[in-house]
Coordinates of all heavy atoms in Angstrom, one line a residue:
Chain C
Y35 N -3.3 21.5 4.3 CA -3.0 22.3 5.5 C -1.7 23.2 5.2 O -0.8 22.8 4.5 CB -2.8 21.4 6.7 CG -4.0 20.6 7.1 CD1 -4.3 19.5 6.5 CD2 -4.8 21.1 8.1 CE1 -5.5 18.8 6.8 CE2 -5.9 20.4 8.5 CZ -6.3 19.2 7.8 OH -7.4 18.5 8.2
Q37 N 1.4 24.9 7.4 CA 2.0 24.9 8.7 C 3.2 25.9 8.7 O 4.2 25.7 8.1 CB 2.6 23.5 9.1 CG 3.2 23.5 10.5 CD 3.6 22.1 10.9 OE1 3.9 21.2 10.1 NE2 3.8 21.9 12.2
Q41 N 4.4 26.6 14.3 CA 3.0 26.6 14.5 C 2.3 25.3 14.2 O 3.0 24.4 13.6 CB 2.2 27.7 13.7 CG 2.8 29.1 13.9 CD 2.4 29.6 15.3 OE1 1.3 29.4 15.8 NE2 3.4 30.3 15.9
G42 N 1.1 25.0 14.7 CA 0.4 23.8 14.2 C -0.2 24.1 12.8 O -0.4 25.2 12.4
P43 N -0.5 23.0 12.1 CA -1.0 23.1 10.8 C -2.4 23.8 10.8 O -3.2 23.6 11.8 CB -1.2 21.7 10.3 CG -0.1 20.9 11.1 CD -0.1 21.6 12.4
F45 N -6.0 24.4 8.5 CA -6.8 23.8 7.4 C -7.1 24.8 6.3 O -7.6 25.9 6.6 CB -8.1 23.3 8.0 CG -9.1 22.8 7.0 CD1 -8.9 21.6 6.2 CD2 -10.4 23.4 6.9 CE1 -9.8 21.2 5.4 CE2 -11.3 22.9 6.0 CZ -11.0 21.8 5.2
Q48 N -10.8 21.1 1.7 CA -10.9 19.7 1.5 C -11.6 19.4 0.2 O -12.6 20.2 -0.1 CB -11.7 19.0 2.7 CG -11.8 17.5 2.6 CD -12.6 16.9 3.7 OE1 -13.8 16.9 3.7 NE2 -11.9 16.6 4.8
N55 N -15.5 20.6 -0.6 CA -16.6 20.5 0.3 C -16.3 21.0 1.7 O -17.1 20.8 2.6 CB -17.0 19.0 0.4 CG -16.0 18.2 1.2 OD1 -14.9 18.4 1.2 ND2 -16.6 17.2 2.0
G56 N -15.3 21.8 1.8 CA -15.0 22.4 3.1 C -13.8 23.4 2.9 O -12.9 23.0 2.1
R57 N -13.8 24.5 3.6 CA -12.7 25.5 3.5 C -12.5 26.2 4.8 O -13.4 26.5 5.5 CB -13.1 26.5 2.4 CG -12.0 27.4 2.0 CD -12.4 28.3 0.9 NE -11.2 29.1 0.4 CZ -10.4 28.8 -0.6 NH1 -10.7 27.7 -1.3 NH2 -9.4 29.6 -0.9
L88 N 5.3 25.2 5.4 CA 5.2 23.8 5.0 C 3.8 23.5 4.6 O 2.9 23.7 5.4 CB 5.7 22.8 6.1 CG 5.7 21.3 5.9 CD1 6.8 21.0 4.8 CD2 5.9 20.6 7.2
L90 N 1.0 20.7 3.8 CA 0.8 19.3 4.0 C -0.6 18.9 3.4 O -1.6 19.6 3.4 CB 0.7 19.1 5.5 CG 1.9 19.3 6.3 CD1 1.6 19.5 7.8 CD2 2.9 18.2 6.1
T97 N -15.3 11.5 4.1 CA -15.3 12.8 4.7 C -15.8 12.9 6.1 O -15.8 14.0 6.7 CB -16.3 13.7 3.9 OG1 -17.6 13.2 4.0 CG2 -15.9 13.8 2.4
S98 N -16.0 11.8 6.8 CA -16.5 11.8 8.1 C -15.4 12.2 9.1 O -14.2 11.9 8.9 CB -17.0 10.4 8.5 OG -17.1 10.2 9.9
G99 N -15.8 12.8 10.2 CA -14.9 13.2 11.2 C -14.3 12.0 11.9 O -13.2 12.0 12.6
L100 N -14.9 10.8 11.7 CA -14.4 9.6 12.3 C -13.2 9.0 11.5 O -12.5 8.1 11.9 CB -15.5 8.5 12.4 CG -16.7 8.9 13.2 CD1 -17.7 7.8 13.1 CD2 -16.3 9.2 14.6
T102 N -9.7 8.7 9.8 CA -8.3 9.2 10.0 C -7.7 9.8 8.8 O -7.9 9.3 7.7 CB -7.4 8.0 10.5 OG1 -7.9 7.4 11.7 CG2 -6.0 8.5 10.7
Q103 N -7.1 11.0 9.0 CA -6.4 11.6 7.9 C -4.9 11.3 7.9 O -4.3 11.4 9.0 CB -6.5 13.2 8.0 CG -8.0 13.6 7.8 CD -8.2 15.1 7.6 OE1 -7.2 15.8 7.3 NE2 -9.4 15.6 7.8
F105 N -1.1 11.9 6.6 CA -0.4 13.0 6.0 C 0.8 12.6 5.2 O 1.4 11.6 5.5 CB 0.1 13.9 7.2 CG -1.0 14.7 7.8 CD1 -1.9 14.2 8.7 CD2 -1.2 16.1 7.4 CE1 -2.9 15.0 9.3 CE2 -2.2 16.8 7.9 CZ -3.0 16.3 8.9
G106 N 1.0 13.4 4.2 CA 2.2 13.3 3.4 C 3.4 14.0 4.1 O 3.2 14.7 5.1
P107 N 4.6 14.0 3.5 CA 5.8 14.6 4.1 C 5.8 16.1 4.0 O 6.6 16.8 4.7 CB 6.9 14.0 3.4 CG 6.4 13.6 2.1 CD 4.9 13.2 2.3
Chain S
S32 N -14.3 14.2 17.9 CA -13.3 13.3 17.5 C -11.9 14.0 17.9 O -11.7 15.1 17.6 CB -13.3 13.0 16.0 OG -14.5 12.3 15.6
F34 N -7.6 13.5 18.5 CA -6.4 12.8 18.0 C -5.2 13.4 18.6 O -5.1 14.5 19.0 CB -6.3 13.0 16.4 CG -7.5 12.8 15.6 CD1 -8.5 13.7 15.5 CD2 -7.6 11.6 14.9 CE1 -9.6 13.5 14.8 CE2 -8.8 11.3 14.2 CZ -9.8 12.3 14.1
Y36 N -1.2 13.6 17.2 CA -0.3 13.4 16.1 C 1.1 13.7 16.6 O 1.3 14.6 17.4 CB -0.6 14.2 14.9 CG -1.7 13.7 14.0 CD1 -3.0 14.0 14.2 CD2 -1.4 13.0 12.8 CE1 -4.0 13.6 13.4 CE2 -2.4 12.5 12.0 CZ -3.7 12.8 12.3 OH -4.7 12.4 11.4
Q38 N 5.2 14.8 15.2 CA 5.9 15.2 14.1 C 7.4 15.3 14.4 O 7.8 16.1 15.3 CB 5.5 16.6 13.6 CG 6.1 17.1 12.3 CD 5.5 18.4 11.8 OE1 5.2 19.3 12.6 NE2 5.3 18.6 10.5
G43 N 6.8 14.1 8.2 CA 5.4 14.4 8.1 C 4.8 14.0 9.5 O 5.4 13.6 10.4
L44 N 3.5 14.3 9.6 CA 2.7 14.0 10.8 C 2.3 12.6 10.8 O 1.8 12.0 9.8 CB 1.4 14.9 10.8 CG 1.7 16.4 11.1 CD1 0.6 17.2 10.5 CD2 1.9 16.6 12.6
L46 N 0.0 9.7 13.0 CA -1.1 9.5 14.0 C -0.6 8.6 15.1 O -0.2 7.5 14.8 CB -2.3 8.9 13.3 CG -3.5 8.6 14.2 CD1 -4.1 10.0 14.7 CD2 -4.5 7.7 13.6
K49 N -6.4 7.9 18.3 CA -7.6 8.7 18.1 C -8.7 8.2 19.0 O -8.8 7.0 19.3 CB -8.0 8.7 16.6 CG -8.7 7.4 16.2 CD -9.1 7.6 14.7 CE -9.8 6.3 14.2 NZ -10.3 6.5 12.8
T51 N -12.9 8.3 19.2 CA -14.1 8.6 18.5 C -15.3 8.0 19.3 O -16.3 7.5 18.7 CB -14.0 7.9 17.1 OG1 -13.7 6.6 17.2 CG2 -13.0 8.6 16.3
F90 N 1.1 17.1 18.7 CA -0.1 18.0 18.4 C -1.3 17.2 18.9 O -1.6 16.1 18.5 CB -0.2 18.3 16.9 CG 0.9 19.2 16.4 CD1 2.0 18.7 15.7 CD2 0.8 20.6 16.6 CE1 2.9 19.5 15.2 CE2 1.8 21.4 16.1 CZ 2.9 20.9 15.5
G94 N -11.7 17.4 15.7 CA -12.5 17.7 14.5 C -12.3 16.7 13.4 O -12.1 15.5 13.6
G95 N -12.3 17.2 12.1 CA -12.2 16.3 11.0 C -13.4 16.5 10.1 O -14.3 17.4 10.4
G96 N -13.6 15.7 9.1 CA -14.6 15.9 8.2 C -14.4 17.2 7.4 O -13.3 17.6 7.2
A97 N -15.5 17.7 6.8 CA -15.5 18.9 5.9 C -14.9 20.1 6.6 O -14.6 21.0 5.9 CB -16.8 19.1 5.3
D98 N -15.0 20.2 7.9 CA -14.4 21.4 8.6 C -12.9 21.2 8.8 O -12.3 22.2 9.4 CB -15.1 21.6 9.9 CG -16.6 22.0 9.8 OD1 -16.9 22.6 8.7 OD2 -17.4 21.6 10.6
G99 N -12.3 20.1 8.4 CA -10.9 19.9 8.6 C -10.6 19.7 10.1 O -11.4 19.8 11.0
L100 N -9.3 19.4 10.3 CA -8.8 19.2 11.6 C -8.3 20.5 12.2 O -7.7 21.3 11.5 CB -7.6 18.2 11.6 CG -7.9 16.8 11.1 CD1 -6.6 16.0 10.9 CD2 -8.8 16.1 12.1
F102 N -5.7 22.0 14.9 CA -4.5 21.6 15.7 C -4.3 22.6 16.8 O -4.6 23.8 16.7 CB -3.3 21.6 14.7 CG -3.2 20.5 13.8 CD1 -4.1 20.4 12.7 CD2 -2.3 19.4 14.0 CE1 -4.0 19.3 11.8 CE2 -2.2 18.4 13.1 CZ -3.1 18.3 12.0
G103 N -3.8 22.0 17.9 CA -3.2 22.8 19.0 C -1.9 23.4 18.5 O -1.4 23.1 17.4
K104 N -1.3 24.2 19.3 CA 0.0 24.9 19.0 C 1.2 24.0 19.1 O 2.3 24.3 18.7 CB 0.2 26.1 19.8 CG -0.8 27.2 19.5 CD -0.6 28.5 20.2 CE -1.5 29.6 19.7 NZ -1.3 30.9 20.3

Side-chain angles (χ1 to χ4, degrees):
Chain C
Y35 294 82
Q37 186 177 19
Q41 303 292 319
F45 174 63
Q48 184 181 89
N55 76 321
R57 190 176 185 94
L88 180 67
L90 296 162
T97 61
S98 165
L100 301 177
T102 299
Q103 294 190 20
F105 285 82
Chain S
S32 295
F34 311 80
Y36 280 86
Q38 189 173 38
L44 288 157
L46 178 71
K49 71 176 183 181
T51 54
F90 292 98
D98 293 330
L100 297 172
F102 285 73
K104 293 188 175 182

